Amino acid sequence: MKAQRALLDSLTQATVTIAWVICLNKPFYPVYVWYLVGDGVVASLGSLLAAPAFLAIPFMARHSPIIARISLPIVGAFDTLLETQLFGQSSGTELFFGACIMLAAVSFHRQEKWIQRSVAALVFAVFLLSRHTGGPPLHGWSDADLSTLLNLNIFAVACLMALIAMRYAGVATSPEPATGEKS
């Protein structure tokens, strides 16, 4: 690591935190499916496909904070689309689009409102795609399995949204001066 690496602004730091938490939690999802449902574990391994993209965000932030902040809600939206294809709409995975929209709402500086609007619109478009292209899930889940997955995903989304709210609380949306600069 370079000693001269610039410090990240507070919005980008929050983005990096959320990306790390998501990335570190990804491997546990198939374990939850195995423990709570007992069936469909192989299908649930598909939820790990997006882990490298989430992992890239903290490293991307060093070189382009704005690209990292744009990437988190977009990667989340496409991950949610994939998981909805894996688990089906009845599993509640589409609830994660709410967290992605929330990230679009809190991840940008005031001067970046058109980027923010574009990211929010893209996440919403991916949601609409998910609603209108949903076919049968990869695995044939029973109604009891889907009920368990719905409860799991409701809890996971609530936890993620609470974490986002707490991590971004009080974060300035005006650009901060770089370390060593006078304001």
Side-chain angles (χ1 to χ4, degrees):
M1 297 179 135
K2 295 181 180 179
Q4 298 176 348
R5 181 171 27 128
L7 294 177
L8 299 176
D9 64 277
S10 57
L11 283 176
T12 305
Q13 288 173 2
T15 296
V16 167
T17 300
I18 300 301
W20 274 117
V21 169
I22 292 170
C23 189
L24 293 173
N25 277 283
K26 277 279 182 196
F28 293 103
Y29 195 79
V31 174
Y32 297 145
V33 170
W34 168 76
Y35 181 75
L36 296 172
V37 177
D39 192 25
V41 176
V42 173
S44 72
L45 291 173
S47 66
L48 298 174
L49 291 173
F54 284 110
L55 181 61
I57 292 170
F59 298 100
M60 190 184 315
R62 297 177 192 162
H63 303 289
S64 181
I66 184 71
I67 297 299
R69 289 185 280 117
I70 290 169
S71 295
L72 184 58
I74 291 174
V75 168
F78 282 101
D79 178 43
T80 301
L81 177 65
L82 170 67
E83 295 208 19
T84 301
Q85 297 299 316
L86 291 172
F87 295 98
Q89 292 176 336
S90 299
S91 68
T93 54
E94 285 180 316
L95 294 168
F96 283 97
F97 283 115
C100 297
I101 292 287
M102 187 176 182
L103 284 167
V106 298
S107 296
F108 298 96
H109 298 292
R110 278 186 272 160
Q111 297 82 351
E112 299 166 341
K113 67 183 173 190
W114 285 104
I115 295 170
Q116 181 180 35
R117 290 173 179 162
S118 298
V119 170
L122 179 59
V123 170
F124 186 71
V126 175
F127 163 72
L128 291 176
L129 178 68
S130 175
R131 292 303 298 164
H132 297 292
T133 61
L138 178 66
H139 180 77
W141 306 98
S142 71
D143 288 343
D145 293 346
L146 288 171
S147 177
T148 301
L149 288 170
L150 177 62
N151 286 326
L152 170 65
N153 288 320
I154 289 170
F155 181 76
V157 169
C159 289
L160 178 58
M161 291 181 81
L163 174 67
I164 292 167
M166 289 186 284
R167 180 58 184 91
Y168 283 85
V171 173
T173 58
S174 297
E176 301 165 359
T179 304
E181 288 182 16
K182 297 185 184 206
S183 357

